[in-house]
C-alpha cells in the first residue's frame, strides 16, 4: 500500500476535490439565491428561479458534509483548530445554511408581498453571506490565523470575528462572491425561463469581468504585499503528526511552490480561461457557460491550495505552529481505510448526482409556474 507521506498528499488532494465539489454544486444555488432580487423582477419570476434550485439544493449539501467529515477524520488538528478558533464565522455560515430551507418552505405560505419580500431578502442574504465569508476565510489563510500550540499541543487563539475582515481577506471575499454569483447566473441561464435566462447571461458576463479584475488584484497583492512561509527543516520523528517537529521561516510571498512546481501555474490559467469561457458561452445553447464557470471555480480553489502547499492553516502568532500536509493528519491506518471508502463511495455519489440532474433536465418556465401555482 502507499507510504504515509504519499497518503497525506492524496488526502490533501481529496480535500481539494471535496472543496471544489462543494463550490461547484452548492455554489450555484447560493449564487442563484444571491441574485434572486436582481434576476427576478416580480413574484412569478422569483418563484421560477427558486424552482430551479429547490429540487437539488439539499442533495448538493452532501459535498459540505463530505468536506467536514473528511477534515474531521483525515485532518483532526486542522478540524480542531479551525472549528474552535473560527467558531463565530462557522456559526454565521451555518445560520445562512439554516435560513435557506426555512425560506424555501415558508416563502409561499402566505400571499402578502411584504411576507414574500422578507423571505426573498433572507434568501438573498444567505447566498451573499456564505460566498463572502468563505472567501474571507480563504484570504485569512494567506495572512495567517492567530493561534499557537504549547509544547503539549494545547491550542490558544487570539482575536475575534471582526479581526478576520482585513483588507486582503475582504478582497478574497469579493473574489469568492463574484465567482459564485457568476456561477449562479450561468446556472440560471441554463435552467430558468428564456426571459430570465437572457437576463442571467448578461449578469454572468458582468460577473466574469468582475471576477477577473478581483482575481488579478488578489494575485498581485499576494505576490507583492503578503509575505509567505516556507518549511526549512523537519526533525526526526516528524512522521508523527506534531506541528512542533518542524522549523518555519518567512519568505517574500506565497508563490514559492509555483517556482518549484511550474505545473501549478495551470490552476490560475484554468481560472482565467473559465472566466473567459463564461464571457464567450454564457447564454448560448447547451452547458458551455455552466461548465466554464465550473472550471473557473476549480482553477481558483486549486490556485489557492497550490500557493499554500504544504501549509493547511498557517499561524500568524507562531509560524512553527502552522499546520501542514506533513504534520496535521490522522494515522497512516486511518488514511488508508478512509481512502478505500472514498474509492468506493465517491463514484456512487457522482453517479447518483449525474442521474438526478439528468432526470431534472430542462428549463423551469414561467408557464409551468403559473400552472403549478394556479396563477391564471
Amino acid at each position: 500500500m502507499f507510504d504515509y507521506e504519499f497518503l497525506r498528499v492524496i488526502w490533501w488532494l481529496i480535500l481539494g476535490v471535496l472543496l471544489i465539489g462543494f463550490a461547484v454544486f452548492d455554489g450555484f444555488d447560493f449564487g442563484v439565491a444571491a441574485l434572486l432580487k436582481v434576476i427576478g423582477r416580480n413574484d412569478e419570476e422569483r418563484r421560477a428561479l427558486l424552482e430551479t434550485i429547490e429540487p437539488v439544493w439539499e442533495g448538493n449539501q452532501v459535498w459540505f458534509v463530505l468536506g467536514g467529515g473528511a477534515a474531521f477524520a483525515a485532518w483532526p488538528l486542522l478540524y480542531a483548530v479551525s472549528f474552535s478558533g473560527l467558531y463565530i464565522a462557522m456559526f454565521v455560515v451555518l445560520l445562512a445554511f439554516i435560513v435557506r430551507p426555512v425560506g424555501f418552505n415558508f416563502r409561499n405560505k402566505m400571499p402578502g408581498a411584504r411576507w414574500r419580500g422578507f423571505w426573498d431578502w433572507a434568501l438573498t442574504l444567505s447566498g451573499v453571506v456564505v460566498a463572502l465569508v468563505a472567501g474571507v476565510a480563504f484570504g485569512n489563510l494567506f495572512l495567517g490565523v492567530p493561534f499557537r500550540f504549547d509544547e503539549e499541543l494545547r491550542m490558544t487563539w487570539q482575536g475575534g470575528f471582526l479581526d478576520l475582515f482585513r483588507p486582503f481577506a475582504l478582497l478574497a471575499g469579493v473574489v469568492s462572491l463574484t465567482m459564485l454569483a457568476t456561477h449562479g447566473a450561468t446556472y440560471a441561464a441554463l435552467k430558468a425561463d428564456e426571459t430570465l435566462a437572457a437576463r442571467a447571461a448578461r449578469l454572468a458576463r458582468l460577473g466574469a469581468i468582475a471576477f477577473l479584475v478581483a482575481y488579478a488584484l488578489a494575485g498581485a497583492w499576494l505576490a507583492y504585499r503578503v509575505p509567505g512561509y516556507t518549511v526549512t527543516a523537519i526533525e526526526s520523528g516528524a512522521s508523527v503528526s506534531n506541528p512542533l517537529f518542524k522549523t518555519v521561516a518567512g519568505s517574500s510571498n506565497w508563490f514559492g511552490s509555483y517556482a518549484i512546481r511550474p505545473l501549478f501555474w495551470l490552476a490560475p490559467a484554468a481560472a482565467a480561461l473559465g472566466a473567459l469561457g463564461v464571457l464567450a458561452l454564457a447564454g448560448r445553447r447547451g452547458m458551455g457557460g455552466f461548465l466554464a464557470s465550473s472550471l473557473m471555480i476549480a482553477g481558483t480553489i486549486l490556485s489557492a491550495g497550490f500557493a499554500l502547499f504544504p501549509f493547511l492553516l498557517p499561524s500568524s502568532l507562531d509560524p512553527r505552529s502552522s499546520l501542514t500536509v506533513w504534520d496535521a493528519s490522522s494515522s497512516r491506518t486511518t488514511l488508508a481505510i478512509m481512502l478505500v471508502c472514498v474509492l468506493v463511495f465517491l463514484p456512487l455519489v457522482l453517479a447518483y448526482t449525474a442521474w438526478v440532474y439528468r432526470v431534472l433536465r430542462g428549463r423551469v418556465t414561467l408557464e409551468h409556474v403559473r400552472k403549478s401555482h394556479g396563477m391564471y
Side-chain angles (χ1 to χ4, degrees):
M1 195 62 179
F2 302 124
D3 64 37
Y4 197 12
E5 301 309 304
F6 190 56
L7 276 173
R8 284 167 160 162
V9 174
I10 289 175
W11 270 100
W12 172 73
L13 292 171
I14 290 173
L15 184 61
V17 168
L18 295 177
L19 286 174
I20 291 170
F22 168 65
V24 169
F25 288 99
D26 227 10
F28 72 72
D29 52 55
F30 279 112
V32 170
L35 296 173
L36 182 63
K37 300 281 288 184
V38 181
I39 299 175
R41 296 178 180 175
N42 54 46
D43 180 63
E44 181 182 84
E45 293 182 350
R46 289 170 194 152
R47 280 179 187 247
L49 284 171
L50 291 176
E51 289 194 15
T52 66
I53 59 176
E54 283 175 345
V56 297
W57 73 267
E58 197 166 13
N60 289 340
Q61 291 196 154
V62 70
W63 295 97
F64 181 71
V65 175
L66 285 173
F72 174 77
W75 307 99
L77 285 175
L78 173 65
Y79 183 93
V81 173
S82 59
F83 277 67
S84 298
L86 298 172
Y87 180 81
I88 300 299
M90 298 285 185
F91 179 80
V92 170
V93 170
L94 287 175
L95 185 61
F97 269 80
I98 292 168
V99 165
R100 186 167 53 161
V102 176
F104 290 153
N105 288 324
F106 282 88
R107 182 189 183 276
N108 296 324
K109 295 296 185 184
M110 296 176 63
R114 290 181 65 182
W115 173 265
R116 291 178 177 173
F118 169 81
W119 288 113
D120 287 345
W121 277 113
L123 289 167
T124 298
L125 289 174
S126 73
V128 171
V129 165
V130 170
L132 183 64
V133 173
V136 167
F138 251 102
N140 274 279
L141 296 183
F142 293 102
L143 299 173
V145 290
F147 76 96
R148 61 160 56 93
F149 292 108
D150 65 15
E151 294 303 319
E152 296 180 355
L153 289 185
R154 291 175 297 192
M155 190 271 289
T156 56
W157 185 282
Q158 297 179 11
F161 175 64
L162 295 179
D163 296 326
L164 299 175
F165 292 87
R166 292 173 281 181
F168 176 77
L170 285 172
L171 177 58
V174 172
V175 172
S176 175
L177 181 58
T178 55
M179 178 179 74
L180 294 186
T182 301
H183 193 47
T186 61
Y187 181 79
L190 177 67
K191 292 289 292 182
D193 185 88
E194 294 284 357
T195 302
L196 299 174
R199 204 176 297 158
R202 290 194 294 271
L203 286 172
R205 289 189 286 270
L206 290 174
I209 294 171
F211 166 81
L212 283 171
V213 172
Y215 185 67
L217 286 174
W221 195 329
L222 199 60
Y224 297 106
R225 298 292 301 275
V226 180
Y229 291 160
T230 183
V231 176
T232 57
I234 300 177
E235 299 177 17
S236 61
S239 59
V240 177
S241 287
N242 186 329
L244 301 183
F245 282 165
K246 67 177 179 299
T247 304
V248 176
S251 63
S252 59
N253 58 53
W254 281 104
F255 288 101
S257 59
Y258 280 76
I260 298 171
R261 304 169 184 87
L263 286 177
F264 280 5
W265 286 106
L266 292 175
L273 183 63
L276 294 174
V278 172
L279 288 173
L281 300 173
R284 295 190 180 184
R285 295 286 180 183
M287 295 183 60
F290 182 76
L291 293 176
S293 62
S294 299
L295 177 64
M296 177 181 70
I297 288 173
T300 302
I301 293 175
L302 288 173
S303 64
F306 290 162
L308 284 167
F309 186 82
F311 291 89
L312 298 171
L313 192 67
S315 168
S316 60
L317 298 182
D318 176 23
R320 182 175 169 229
S321 294
S322 300
L323 302 180
T324 72
V325 172
W326 316 122
D327 57 29
S329 72
S330 294
S331 67
R332 179 184 181 277
T333 301
T334 299
L335 297 182
I337 293 172
M338 289 177 56
L339 179 59
V340 173
C341 294
V342 167
L343 292 176
V344 172
F345 291 106
L346 188 58
L348 293 177
V349 170
L350 291 171
Y352 174 75
T353 300
W355 177 76
V356 167
Y357 281 94
R358 176 171 176 77
V359 170
L360 296 173
R361 65 188 181 277
R363 294 185 180 275
V364 177
T365 64
L366 295 177
E367 181 76 11
H368 161 77
V369 170
R370 295 186 191 108
K371 286 182 179 180
S372 61
H373 294 280
M375 299 177 72
Y376 281 108

